[in-house]
Coordinates of all heavy atoms in Angstrom, one line a residue:
N148 N -29.5 9.2 36.2 CA -30.1 8.6 35.0 C -29.3 7.3 34.7 O -28.1 7.3 34.7 CB -30.1 9.6 33.8 CG -30.9 10.8 34.1 OD1 -31.8 10.8 34.8 ND2 -30.5 11.9 33.4
R149 N -30.0 6.3 34.3 CA -29.4 5.1 33.8 C -29.6 4.9 32.4 O -30.7 5.1 31.8 CB -30.0 3.9 34.6 CG -29.6 3.9 36.1 CD -30.1 2.7 36.8 NE -29.5 1.5 36.5 CZ -28.3 1.0 36.9 NH1 -27.5 1.8 37.7 NH2 -27.8 -0.1 36.5
Y150 N -28.5 4.6 31.7 CA -28.6 4.4 30.2 C -28.2 3.0 29.9 O -27.2 2.4 30.4 CB -27.6 5.4 29.5 CG -28.0 6.8 29.8 CD1 -27.6 7.5 30.9 CD2 -28.7 7.5 28.8 CE1 -27.9 8.8 31.1 CE2 -29.1 8.8 29.0 CZ -28.7 9.4 30.2 OH -29.0 10.7 30.4
H151 N -28.9 2.3 29.0 CA -28.6 1.0 28.6 C -28.0 1.0 27.2 O -28.5 1.6 26.3 CB -29.9 0.2 28.6 CG -29.7 -1.3 28.2 ND1 -29.1 -2.2 29.0 CD2 -30.0 -1.9 27.0 CE1 -29.1 -3.3 28.4 NE2 -29.6 -3.2 27.2
M152 N -26.9 0.3 27.1 CA -26.2 0.2 25.8 C -25.8 -1.3 25.6 O -25.0 -1.8 26.4 CB -25.0 1.1 25.7 CG -24.3 1.0 24.4 SD -22.7 1.8 24.5 CE -22.0 1.1 23.0
S153 N -26.4 -1.9 24.6 CA -26.2 -3.3 24.4 C -26.4 -4.1 25.7 O -27.5 -4.0 26.2 CB -24.8 -3.6 23.7 OG -23.8 -3.3 24.6
T154 N -25.4 -4.8 26.2 CA -25.6 -5.5 27.4 C -25.1 -4.8 28.6 O -25.0 -5.3 29.7 CB -24.8 -6.9 27.3 OG1 -23.4 -6.6 27.1 CG2 -25.4 -7.7 26.2
R155 N -24.7 -3.5 28.5 CA -24.1 -2.7 29.6 C -25.2 -1.7 30.1 O -25.9 -1.1 29.3 CB -22.9 -2.0 29.2 CG -21.8 -3.0 28.7 CD -20.5 -2.3 28.7 NE -19.5 -3.3 28.2 CZ -19.0 -4.2 29.0 NH1 -19.4 -4.4 30.2 NH2 -18.1 -5.1 28.5
M156 N -25.1 -1.5 31.4 CA -25.9 -0.5 32.0 C -25.0 0.5 32.7 O -24.2 0.1 33.6 CB -26.9 -1.1 33.0 CG -27.9 -0.1 33.6 SD -29.1 0.6 32.5 CE -30.2 -0.8 32.4
I157 N -25.0 1.8 32.3 CA -24.1 2.7 33.0 C -25.0 3.8 33.6 O -26.1 4.1 33.1 CB -23.1 3.4 32.1 CG1 -23.7 4.3 31.0 CG2 -22.2 2.3 31.4 CD1 -22.6 5.0 30.2
S158 N -24.6 4.3 34.7 CA -25.3 5.4 35.4 C -24.6 6.7 35.3 O -23.4 6.8 35.5 CB -25.4 5.0 36.9 OG -26.1 3.9 37.1
L159 N -25.3 7.7 34.9 CA -24.7 9.1 34.7 C -25.5 10.1 35.6 O -26.8 10.0 35.6 CB -24.8 9.5 33.3 CG -24.0 8.5 32.3 CD1 -24.3 9.0 30.9 CD2 -22.6 8.5 32.6
L160 N -24.8 11.0 36.2 CA -25.4 12.0 37.0 C -25.2 13.4 36.3 O -24.3 13.5 35.5 CB -24.8 12.0 38.4 CG -24.8 10.7 39.1 CD1 -24.0 10.8 40.4 CD2 -26.2 10.2 39.4
H161 N -26.0 14.4 36.7 CA -25.9 15.7 36.1 C -26.0 16.7 37.3 O -26.8 16.5 38.2 CB -27.0 16.0 35.1 CG -27.1 15.1 34.0 ND1 -26.4 15.3 32.8 CD2 -27.7 13.9 33.8 CE1 -26.7 14.3 32.0 NE2 -27.5 13.4 32.6
F162 N -25.3 17.8 37.2 CA -25.5 18.9 38.1 C -26.5 19.9 37.6 O -26.4 20.4 36.5 CB -24.2 19.7 38.3 CG -23.2 19.0 39.1 CD1 -21.9 18.6 38.6 CD2 -23.4 18.6 40.4 CE1 -21.0 18.0 39.3 CE2 -22.5 17.9 41.2 CZ -21.2 17.6 40.6
K163 N -27.6 20.1 38.3 CA -28.6 21.0 37.9 C -28.1 22.4 37.7 O -28.5 23.1 36.8 CB -29.8 21.1 39.0 CG -30.6 19.9 39.0 CD -31.7 20.0 40.1 CE -32.5 18.8 40.2 NZ -33.5 18.9 41.3
S164 N -27.1 22.8 38.5 CA -26.5 24.1 38.4 C -25.8 24.4 37.1 O -25.5 25.5 36.7 CB -25.6 24.4 39.6 OG -24.5 23.5 39.6
L165 N -25.4 23.3 36.4 CA -24.6 23.4 35.1 C -25.5 23.2 33.9 O -25.0 23.5 32.8 CB -23.5 22.4 35.1 CG -22.4 22.5 36.2 CD1 -21.4 21.4 36.0 CD2 -21.8 23.9 36.1
K166 N -26.7 22.8 34.0 CA -27.6 22.5 32.9 C -27.9 23.7 32.0 O -28.1 23.5 30.8 CB -28.9 21.9 33.4 CG -28.7 20.5 33.7 CD -30.1 19.8 33.8 CE -29.8 18.3 34.0 NZ -31.0 17.5 33.6
N167 N -27.9 24.9 32.5 CA -28.3 26.1 31.7 C -27.1 26.9 31.2 O -27.3 28.0 30.6 CB -29.2 27.0 32.5 CG -30.5 26.4 32.9 OD1 -31.0 25.6 32.0 ND2 -31.0 26.6 34.0
I168 N -25.9 26.3 31.3 CA -24.7 27.0 30.7 C -24.6 26.7 29.2 O -24.6 25.5 28.9 CB -23.4 26.6 31.5 CG1 -23.5 27.0 32.9 CG2 -22.2 27.2 30.8 CD1 -22.4 26.6 33.8
P169 N -24.7 27.7 28.4 CA -24.7 27.5 26.9 C -23.4 26.7 26.5 O -22.3 26.9 27.0 CB -24.6 28.9 26.3 CG -25.2 29.8 27.4 CD -24.7 29.1 28.7
R170 N -23.6 25.7 25.6 CA -22.6 24.9 24.9 C -21.8 24.0 25.9 O -20.8 23.4 25.5 CB -21.6 25.8 24.2 CG -22.2 26.6 23.1 CD -21.4 27.6 22.3 NE -20.0 27.4 22.5 CZ -19.1 28.3 22.6 NH1 -19.5 29.6 22.6 NH2 -17.8 28.1 22.8
L171 N -22.3 23.9 27.1 CA -21.6 23.0 28.1 C -22.5 21.7 28.2 O -23.7 21.7 28.5 CB -21.5 23.6 29.5 CG -21.0 22.7 30.5 CD1 -19.5 22.3 30.3 CD2 -21.1 23.3 31.9
Q172 N -21.8 20.6 27.9 CA -22.5 19.3 28.1 C -21.6 18.6 29.2 O -20.4 18.5 29.1 CB -22.5 18.5 26.8 CG -23.3 19.1 25.7 CD -23.1 18.3 24.4 OE1 -22.3 17.4 24.3 NE2 -24.0 18.5 23.5
H173 N -22.3 18.0 30.2 CA -21.6 17.4 31.3 C -22.3 16.2 31.8 O -23.5 16.1 31.7 CB -21.3 18.4 32.4 CG -22.5 18.6 33.3 ND1 -23.6 19.3 32.9 CD2 -22.8 18.0 34.5 CE1 -24.5 19.3 33.9 NE2 -24.0 18.5 34.8
V174 N -21.6 15.2 32.3 CA -22.1 14.1 33.0 C -21.1 13.7 34.1 O -19.9 14.0 33.9 CB -22.4 12.9 32.1 CG1 -23.5 13.2 31.1 CG2 -21.2 12.3 31.5
I175 N -21.5 13.1 35.1 CA -20.7 12.5 36.1 C -21.0 11.0 36.0 O -22.1 10.5 36.2 CB -21.0 13.0 37.5 CG1 -20.7 14.5 37.6 CG2 -20.1 12.3 38.5 CD1 -21.9 15.3 37.3
S176 N -19.9 10.2 35.7 CA -20.1 8.8 35.6 C -20.0 8.1 37.0 O -19.3 8.6 37.9 CB -19.1 8.2 34.6 OG -17.8 8.4 35.0
T177 N -20.5 6.9 37.1 CA -20.3 6.0 38.2 C -19.5 4.9 37.7 O -19.0 4.8 36.6 CB -21.7 5.6 38.8 OG1 -22.3 4.7 37.9 CG2 -22.6 6.7 39.1
R178 N -19.3 3.9 38.6 CA -18.5 2.7 38.2 C -19.3 1.7 37.3 O -18.7 0.8 36.8 CB -18.0 2.0 39.4 CG -17.0 2.7 40.2 CD -16.6 1.9 41.4 NE -15.4 2.5 42.0 CZ -14.3 1.8 42.3 NH1 -14.2 0.5 42.0 NH2 -13.2 2.4 42.8
D179 N -20.6 1.9 37.2 CA -21.4 0.9 36.5 C -21.1 0.8 35.0 O -21.0 1.8 34.3 CB -22.9 1.3 36.7 CG -23.4 1.2 38.1 OD1 -22.8 0.6 38.9 OD2 -24.4 1.9 38.3
G180 N -21.0 -0.5 34.5 CA -21.0 -0.7 33.1 C -19.7 -0.8 32.4 O -19.6 -0.9 31.2
G181 N -18.6 -0.7 33.1 CA -17.3 -0.7 32.4 C -16.7 -2.1 32.3 O -17.3 -3.1 32.7
T182 N -15.4 -2.2 31.9 CA -14.7 -3.4 31.7 C -13.5 -3.6 32.5 O -12.8 -4.6 32.4 CB -14.4 -3.6 30.2 OG1 -13.5 -2.5 29.8 CG2 -15.6 -3.6 29.3
S183 N -13.1 -2.6 33.3 CA -11.9 -2.7 34.1 C -12.1 -3.8 35.2 O -13.2 -4.0 35.8 CB -11.6 -1.4 34.8 OG -11.2 -0.4 33.9
K184 N -11.0 -4.5 35.5 CA -11.0 -5.5 36.6 C -10.6 -4.8 37.9 O -10.0 -3.7 37.9 CB -10.0 -6.6 36.2 CG -10.2 -7.2 34.9 CD -11.5 -8.0 34.9 CE -11.7 -8.7 33.6 NZ -13.0 -8.8 33.1
A185 N -10.8 -5.5 39.0 CA -10.5 -5.0 40.3 C -9.0 -4.7 40.4 O -8.2 -5.4 39.7 CB -10.8 -6.0 41.4
P186 N -8.5 -3.7 41.0 CA -9.3 -2.8 41.9 C -9.9 -1.6 41.2 O -10.5 -0.7 41.8 CB -8.2 -2.3 42.9 CG -7.0 -2.2 42.1 CD -7.1 -3.4 41.1
Y187 N -9.8 -1.5 39.9 CA -10.3 -0.4 39.1 C -11.8 -0.5 38.7 O -12.3 0.4 38.1 CB -9.4 -0.1 37.9 CG -8.0 -0.1 38.2 CD1 -7.2 -1.1 37.9 CD2 -7.5 1.0 38.9 CE1 -5.8 -1.1 38.2 CE2 -6.1 1.0 39.3 CZ -5.3 0.0 38.9 OH -4.0 0.0 39.3
A188 N -12.4 -1.6 38.9 CA -13.7 -2.0 38.4 C -14.7 -0.8 38.6 O -14.7 -0.2 39.7 CB -14.2 -3.2 39.1
S189 N -15.5 -0.5 37.7 CA -15.6 -1.2 36.4 C -15.5 -0.2 35.3 O -14.8 -0.4 34.3 CB -17.0 -1.9 36.4 OG -17.7 -1.8 35.3
L190 N -16.1 1.0 35.4 CA -16.0 2.0 34.4 C -14.9 3.0 34.7 O -15.1 4.2 34.8 CB -17.4 2.7 34.2 CG -17.5 3.7 33.0 CD1 -17.4 2.9 31.7 CD2 -18.8 4.5 33.0
N191 N -13.7 2.5 34.9 CA -12.6 3.4 35.1 C -12.2 4.2 33.9 O -12.1 3.6 32.8 CB -11.4 2.6 35.6 CG -10.1 3.5 35.8 OD1 -10.3 4.6 36.3 ND2 -9.0 3.1 35.4
L192 N -12.1 5.5 34.0 CA -11.8 6.4 32.8 C -10.5 7.0 32.9 O -10.1 7.8 32.1 CB -12.9 7.5 32.7 CG -14.3 7.0 32.6 CD1 -15.3 8.2 32.6 CD2 -14.5 6.2 31.3
G193 N -9.7 6.7 34.0 CA -8.4 7.4 34.3 C -7.2 6.6 33.8 O -7.0 5.5 34.2
Y194 N -6.5 7.2 32.9 CA -5.2 6.6 32.4 C -4.1 6.6 33.5 O -3.2 5.8 33.4 CB -4.7 7.3 31.2 CG -5.5 7.0 30.0 CD1 -6.3 8.1 29.4 CD2 -5.6 5.8 29.3 CE1 -7.1 7.8 28.3 CE2 -6.3 5.6 28.2 CZ -7.1 6.6 27.7 OH -7.8 6.4 26.5
H195 N -4.2 7.5 34.5 CA -3.2 7.8 35.4 C -3.1 6.9 36.7 O -2.3 7.0 37.5 CB -3.3 9.2 35.9 CG -4.5 9.5 36.6 ND1 -5.8 9.6 36.0 CD2 -4.8 9.7 38.0 CE1 -6.7 9.8 37.0 NE2 -6.1 9.8 38.1
V196 N -4.0 5.9 36.8 CA -4.1 5.1 38.0 C -3.5 3.7 38.0 O -3.5 3.0 38.9 CB -5.6 5.0 38.5 CG1 -6.1 6.4 38.9 CG2 -6.4 4.3 37.5
G197 N -3.0 3.3 36.8 CA -2.4 2.0 36.7 C -3.2 1.0 36.0 O -2.8 -0.2 35.9
D198 N -4.4 1.3 35.6 CA -5.3 0.4 34.9 C -4.7 0.1 33.5 O -3.9 1.0 33.0 CB -6.7 0.9 34.8 CG -7.8 -0.1 34.4 OD1 -7.4 -1.2 34.2 OD2 -8.9 0.3 34.4
D199 N -5.1 -1.0 32.9 CA -4.7 -1.3 31.5 C -5.1 -0.2 30.6 O -6.3 0.2 30.6 CB -5.3 -2.6 31.1 CG -4.9 -3.0 29.7 OD1 -3.7 -3.3 29.4 OD2 -5.8 -2.9 28.8
Q200 N -4.2 0.4 29.8 CA -4.5 1.5 28.9 C -5.6 1.2 27.9 O -6.5 2.0 27.6 CB -3.3 2.0 28.2 CG -2.1 2.4 29.1 CD -2.4 3.7 29.8 OE1 -2.6 4.7 29.2 NE2 -2.6 3.7 31.1
K201 N -5.6 -0.1 27.3 CA -6.6 -0.5 26.3 C -8.0 -0.6 27.0 O -9.0 -0.2 26.4 CB -6.2 -1.8 25.7 CG -5.1 -1.7 24.7 CD -4.7 -3.0 24.1 CE -3.5 -2.9 23.2 NZ -3.1 -4.2 22.6
T202 N -8.0 -1.0 28.2 CA -9.3 -1.1 28.9 C -9.8 0.2 29.2 O -11.0 0.5 29.0 CB -9.1 -1.9 30.3 OG1 -8.5 -3.2 30.0 CG2 -10.4 -2.1 31.0
V203 N -9.0 1.2 29.6 CA -9.5 2.6 29.9 C -10.0 3.2 28.6 O -11.1 3.8 28.6 CB -8.3 3.4 30.5 CG1 -8.8 4.9 30.6 CG2 -7.9 2.9 31.8
S204 N -9.3 3.0 27.5 CA -9.8 3.5 26.2 C -11.1 2.9 25.8 O -12.0 3.6 25.3 CB -8.8 3.2 25.1 OG -7.6 3.9 25.3
H205 N -11.3 1.6 26.1 CA -12.6 0.9 25.8 C -13.7 1.5 26.7 O -14.8 1.7 26.2 CB -12.4 -0.6 26.0 CG -13.6 -1.4 25.6 ND1 -14.3 -2.2 26.5 CD2 -14.4 -1.4 24.5 CE1 -15.4 -2.7 25.9 NE2 -15.4 -2.3 24.7
N206 N -13.4 1.7 28.0 CA -14.4 2.3 28.9 C -14.8 3.7 28.4 O -15.9 4.1 28.4 CB -13.8 2.4 30.3 CG -13.7 1.1 31.0 OD1 -14.4 0.1 30.6 ND2 -12.9 1.0 32.0
R207 N -13.8 4.5 27.9 CA -14.1 5.8 27.4 C -15.0 5.7 26.2 O -15.9 6.6 25.9 CB -12.8 6.6 27.1 CG -12.1 7.1 28.4 CD -10.8 7.8 28.1 NE -10.3 8.3 29.3 CZ -9.9 9.6 29.4 NH1 -10.1 10.5 28.4 NH2 -9.4 10.1 30.6
Q208 N -14.7 4.7 25.3 CA -15.5 4.5 24.1 C -17.0 4.1 24.5 O -17.9 4.6 23.9 CB -14.9 3.5 23.2 CG -15.6 3.4 21.9 CD -15.4 4.7 21.1 OE1 -14.3 5.1 20.9 NE2 -16.5 5.3 20.7
I209 N -17.1 3.3 25.6 CA -18.5 2.9 26.0 C -19.2 4.2 26.4 O -20.4 4.4 26.1 CB -18.4 1.9 27.2 CG1 -17.9 0.6 26.8 CG2 -19.7 1.8 28.0 CD1 -17.5 -0.4 27.9
L210 N -18.6 5.1 27.2 CA -19.2 6.3 27.6 C -19.5 7.2 26.4 O -20.7 7.7 26.3 CB -18.3 7.1 28.6 CG -18.8 8.4 29.1 CD1 -20.1 8.3 29.9 CD2 -17.8 9.1 29.9
A211 N -18.6 7.3 25.5 CA -18.8 8.2 24.3 C -20.0 7.6 23.5 O -20.8 8.4 23.0 CB -17.6 8.3 23.5
D212 N -20.0 6.3 23.3 CA -21.1 5.7 22.5 C -22.4 5.9 23.2 O -23.4 6.2 22.5 CB -20.8 4.2 22.3 CG -19.6 3.9 21.4 OD1 -19.2 4.9 20.7 OD2 -19.2 2.8 21.3
T213 N -22.5 5.8 24.5 CA -23.7 6.0 25.2 C -24.2 7.4 25.0 O -25.4 7.6 24.9 CB -23.5 5.7 26.7 OG1 -23.1 4.3 26.8 CG2 -24.8 5.9 27.5
L214 N -23.3 8.4 25.0 CA -23.7 9.8 24.9 C -23.8 10.2 23.4 O -24.1 11.4 23.2 CB -22.6 10.6 25.6 CG -22.5 10.4 27.1 CD1 -21.3 11.1 27.7 CD2 -23.8 10.8 27.8
N215 N -23.5 9.3 22.5 CA -23.4 9.7 21.1 C -22.4 10.8 20.9 O -22.8 11.8 20.3 CB -24.8 10.0 20.6 CG -24.9 10.0 19.0 OD1 -24.1 9.3 18.4 ND2 -25.7 10.8 18.5
Y216 N -21.2 10.6 21.4 CA -20.2 11.7 21.4 C -18.9 11.1 20.9 O -18.6 9.9 21.1 CB -20.1 12.2 22.8 CG -19.5 13.6 23.0 CD1 -20.2 14.7 22.6 CD2 -18.2 13.7 23.5 CE1 -19.7 15.9 22.7 CE2 -17.7 15.0 23.6 CZ -18.4 16.1 23.2 OH -17.9 17.3 23.3
D217 N -18.0 11.9 20.4 CA -16.7 11.5 19.9 C -15.8 11.2 21.1 O -15.5 12.2 21.9 CB -16.1 12.5 19.0 CG -14.8 12.2 18.4 OD1 -14.2 11.2 18.8 OD2 -14.3 13.0 17.6
A218 N -15.3 10.0 21.3 CA -14.4 9.7 22.4 C -13.2 10.6 22.5 O -12.7 10.8 23.5 CB -14.1 8.2 22.4
Q219 N -12.7 11.0 21.3 CA -11.5 11.9 21.3 C -11.8 13.3 21.9 O -10.8 14.0 22.2 CB -11.0 12.0 19.9 CG -10.6 10.6 19.3 CD -9.5 9.9 20.1 OE1 -8.5 10.5 20.4 NE2 -9.7 8.7 20.3
K220 N -13.0 13.6 22.0 CA -13.4 15.0 22.5 C -13.8 15.0 24.0 O -14.1 16.0 24.5 CB -14.5 15.6 21.7 CG -14.1 15.9 20.3 CD -15.2 16.6 19.5 CE -14.7 16.9 18.1 NZ -15.8 17.6 17.3
L221 N -13.8 13.8 24.6 CA -14.1 13.7 26.0 C -13.1 14.4 26.9 O -11.9 14.2 26.6 CB -14.3 12.2 26.5 CG -15.5 11.5 25.9 CD1 -15.4 10.0 26.4 CD2 -16.8 12.1 26.4
V222 N -13.5 15.1 27.9 CA -12.6 15.7 28.9 C -13.0 15.1 30.2 O -14.1 15.1 30.6 CB -12.8 17.2 28.9 CG1 -11.9 17.8 30.0 CG2 -12.5 17.8 27.5
A223 N -12.0 14.5 30.9 CA -12.2 13.9 32.2 C -11.4 14.7 33.3 O -10.2 15.0 33.1 CB -11.8 12.5 32.2
A224 N -12.0 14.9 34.4 CA -11.4 15.5 35.5 C -10.8 14.4 36.4 O -11.3 13.3 36.5 CB -12.3 16.4 36.3
Q225 N -9.7 14.7 37.1 CA -9.1 13.8 38.0 C -9.8 13.9 39.4 O -9.9 15.0 39.9 CB -7.6 14.0 38.2 CG -7.0 13.1 39.1 CD -5.5 13.3 39.2 OE1 -4.9 14.0 38.4 NE2 -4.9 12.6 40.2
Q226 N -10.4 12.8 39.9 CA -11.1 12.8 41.1 C -10.1 12.7 42.3 O -9.1 12.0 42.2 CB -12.0 11.7 41.2 CG -12.9 11.6 42.4 CD -13.8 10.5 42.4 OE1 -13.8 9.6 41.6 NE2 -14.7 10.4 43.4
V227 N -10.3 13.6 43.3 CA -9.4 13.5 44.5 C -10.2 13.2 45.7 O -11.4 13.3 45.8 CB -8.6 14.8 44.7 CG1 -7.6 15.0 43.6 CG2 -9.6 16.0 44.7

């Protein structure tokens, strides 16, 4: 699914197998629509990789705003 927010377009994916779990909301983000510069471009959500902390916070806010969700309640998994 692609979501448009102001001038940004972000792409979010969902696992069908998780859609019916009560009280669970989930998305998988792609790189589209963020503000991080290379090599983290663009929608980097990880504080642990060396990207600018303010940029990561801004990217998380972009995601939260798109989902109409509180950025302080987002939970992100570390991709390996």
Side-chain angles (χ1 to χ4, degrees):
N148 297 336
R149 292 182 66 81
Y150 296 85
H151 180 74
M152 182 191 163
S153 65
T154 60
R155 301 198 179 281
M156 183 71 73
I157 68 172
S158 297
L159 301 175
L160 308 171
H161 303 268
F162 287 119
K163 288 180 184 179
S164 59
L165 298 178
K166 282 195 170 201
N167 294 324
I168 298 176
R170 299 179 13 224
L171 175 67
Q172 297 176 345
H173 79 284
V174 296
I175 298 93
S176 61
T177 67
R178 289 180 169 233
D179 297 339
T182 58
S183 294
K184 304 293 182 215
Y187 310 106
S189 135
L190 189 66
N191 175 41
L192 303 173
Y194 289 111
H195 65 286
V196 296
D198 197 357
D199 178 71
Q200 301 288 297
K201 288 181 183 177
T202 303
V203 174
S204 293
H205 186 237
N206 287 339
R207 286 177 174 235
Q208 190 64 56
I209 290 169
L210 178 62
D212 290 347
T213 301
L214 298 171
N215 196 29
Y216 203 72
D217 181 354
Q219 299 301 314
K220 293 183 179 181
L221 290 177
V222 176
Q225 182 175 346
Q226 184 178 6
V227 290

